Amino acid sequence: MLRSSYASCLLVSEENDNEIEVETERQGKYIVTFDPLDGSSNIDCLVSIGSIFAIFRKPHDGPLAPGDALQSGRQIAAAGYALYGSATMIVLSTGHGVNGFMLDPSIGEFVLTDANMKCKPRGKIYSINEGYEEKWDPAIKEYVKSKKQGKAYGGRYIGSMVADVHRTLKYGGIFMYPATADNPNGKLRVLYECMPMAFLLEQAGGMASTGEKPVLDIMPRKLHERSPIYLGSKDDVEDLLEVIAKHKAA
């Protein structure tokens, strides 16, 4: 469908090693990056899964050139995700806030149900795969431990990025997928996982960081580049960044 839309010229998919160039006679002015089925390992146990995408403008008027898809997240024209769970929902931003649309099967249309979505300044939930705790940096260990003390946060982790991020957007809190000893560059892909979600969270008043800089400031050097990511409520992410900075200064 994207190749025959006459709107796109280049596609970058999690499922393909190389870019997919649209036939010249059908090319439009947009580059689309996407993870067609995020959380696919959860299909058999009926956990919510989804699709993630970002849309960039072609950076010039000439023929496609190597590296055209490698753009900063600040160049995103639109981004969103579809969530397939107890209902089917599309969450979308074109750079003017975030809106959610629920599929109404009775009319076969997506209906605006969540207008101008906002992420709370601070939440009460942290989300991380604690099975990898022994492979985290000390800063991440310290931060997560702090969330279990005093007025403790609830721990929630689904293992499907779309579902975990959707909950974070709706309820606030922080979602973390840090670097580990086995994956020092992180595991989630920049162009079609980290950047679209970071774009949505920033548009909703939240924050998304690599631990060193905003995710949207990354300038990727390859199609399937990976990065750590920490996103969610602004105050929660800033608390984590303070802990990371403290450890770096020590």
Side-chain angles (χ1 to χ4, degrees):
M1 183 177 290
L2 284 171
R3 294 179 70 168
S4 60
S5 68
Y6 290 87
S8 60
C9 58
L10 198 63
L11 312 178
V12 178
S13 170
E14 192 267 344
E15 301 293 337
N16 296 81
D17 291 336
N18 301 313
E19 302 160 319
I20 302 169
E21 186 172 334
V22 176
E23 295 82 354
T24 304
E25 64 273 13
R26 293 182 173 182
Q27 285 184 7
K29 61 180 181 180
Y30 294 105
I31 296 168
V32 184
T33 65
F34 56 97
D35 182 352
L37 202 57
D38 174 73
S40 55
S41 62
N42 288 318
I43 289 176
D44 288 344
C45 58
L46 304 182
V47 170
S48 297
I49 56 176
S51 304
I52 312 171
F53 67 90
I55 301 172
F56 299 81
R57 293 180 180 85
K58 184 181 172 187
H60 54 79
D61 294 328
L64 286 169
D68 280 352
L70 302 179
Q71 300 185 40
S72 158
R74 301 296 176 191
Q75 305 306 313
I76 289 177
Y81 58 80
L83 176 64
Y84 318 122
S86 54
T88 299
M89 187 171 196
I90 290 178
V91 175
L92 175 69
S93 176
T94 57
H96 303 282
V98 181
N99 293 292
F101 303 83
M102 196 85 72
L103 176 63
D104 184 341
S106 67
I107 59 174
E109 298 286 351
F110 283 91
V111 179
L112 177 63
T113 53
D114 294 62
N116 195 26
M117 298 174 74
K118 295 294 182 185
C119 184
K120 296 177 182 178
R122 184 178 293 281
K124 299 178 181 179
I125 298 171
Y126 73 91
S127 181
I128 190 170
N129 187 343
E130 297 198 59
Y132 296 124
E133 180 177 359
E134 289 304 312
K135 299 179 181 181
W136 296 342
D137 289 339
I140 307 303
K141 291 182 181 179
E142 179 181 328
Y143 177 78
V144 172
K145 184 178 180 180
S146 74
K147 295 296 101 181
K148 302 175 183 180
Q149 299 170 340
K151 195 173 182 180
Y153 277 35
R156 301 286 187 273
Y157 185 75
I158 298 168
S160 171
M161 188 188 190
V162 172
D164 280 313
V165 171
H166 186 67
R167 183 198 57 249
T168 303
L169 176 59
K170 293 279 286 185
Y171 298 157
I174 184 168
F175 169 82
M176 298 169 279
Y177 210 116
T180 63
D182 294 338
N183 294 289
N185 296 318
K187 191 174 180 182
L188 297 180
R189 274 76 165 202
V190 171
L191 280 172
Y192 43 80
E193 290 175 323
C194 296
M195 280 185 178
M197 294 307 200
F199 184 79
L200 291 168
L201 262 293
E202 284 200 7
Q203 285 292 316
M207 190 174 182
S209 175
T210 67
E212 296 181 350
K213 62 183 177 181
V215 170
L216 294 182
D217 287 348
I218 298 173
M219 190 66 197
R221 292 166 293 178
K222 54 185 180 180
L223 291 180
H224 303 289
E225 186 170 321
R226 301 172 189 261
S227 173
I229 186 169
Y230 311 97
L231 62 76
S233 297
K234 191 171 185 290
D235 291 351
D236 287 313
V237 177
E238 287 180 341
D239 287 349
L240 171 62
L241 295 181
E242 287 179 7
V243 177
I244 293 173
K246 181 186 74 174
H247 278 261
K248 286 184 177 179

